[in-house]
């Protein structure tokens, strides 16, 4: 089974909003036959004490999970979130399938 991760803005949103969007994305991906790789760190991660940029640390963990994926699902508003833009750029650069809300740009998005 192909695997996909969800790329969604979270900064400034409540957990309810995040989970509602995520639930819809999971349903769509499952409808398309994908297994969803969970990148929602609801309870946080044990951030090493030497980390000085926590958002960047979380992004690195998402990118690590992306390595197990065939596709990414872009949620509405992805283009306004710096981490989502980085995740999309990585997906395009490494030829993952792009599903969901996408704005055409250079780099060969599919």
């Amino acid at each position: 089974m192909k695997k996909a991760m969800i790329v969604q803005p979270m900064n400034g949103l409540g957990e309810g909003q995040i989970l509602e969007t995520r639930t819809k994305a999971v349903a769509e991906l499952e409808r398309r036959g994908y297994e969803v790789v969970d990148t929602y760190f609801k309870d946080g991660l044990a951030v090493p004490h030497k980390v000085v940029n926590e958002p960047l640390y979380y992004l690195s963990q998402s990118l690590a999970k992306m390595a197990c994926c065939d596709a990414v699902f872009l949620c509405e508003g992805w283009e306004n979130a710096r981490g989502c833009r980085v995740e999309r750029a990585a997906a395009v650069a490494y030829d993952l399938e792009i599903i969901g809300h996408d704005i055409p740009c250079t780099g060969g998005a599919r």
Side-chain angles (χ1 to χ4, degrees):
M1 177 179 281
K2 286 188 173 184
K3 295 181 180 181
M5 67 176 259
I6 298 167
V7 174
Q8 88 181 102
M10 293 186 197
N11 191 26
L13 299 175
E15 186 174 9
Q17 293 170 294
I18 293 168
L19 293 177
E20 179 181 344
T21 298
R22 189 164 212 76
T23 298
K24 291 176 185 174
V26 167
E28 178 60 22
L29 285 168
E30 288 177 346
R31 184 188 70 75
R32 293 176 182 227
Y34 286 91
E35 177 184 336
V36 178
V37 174
D38 191 9
T39 56
Y40 179 50
F41 307 114
K42 177 184 172 196
D43 297 322
L45 293 172
V47 178
H49 73 285
K50 63 184 176 183
V51 169
V52 296
N53 188 318
E54 200 168 308
L56 187 56
Y57 177 77
Y58 280 106
L59 177 60
S60 74
Q61 301 309 296
S62 288
L63 290 172
K65 288 191 174 201
M66 185 186 286
C68 301
C69 295
D70 302 288
V72 296
F73 183 93
L74 301 175
C75 293
E76 188 172 355
W78 72 267
E79 67 278 5
N80 300 316
R82 65 183 175 187
C84 293
R85 291 192 305 266
V86 170
E87 290 169 334
R88 181 195 179 276
V92 169
Y94 289 92
D95 296 320
L96 276 69
E97 181 181 1
I98 307 292
I99 304 169
H101 296 274
D102 197 20
I103 296 174
C105 66
T106 58
R110 320 186 238 165

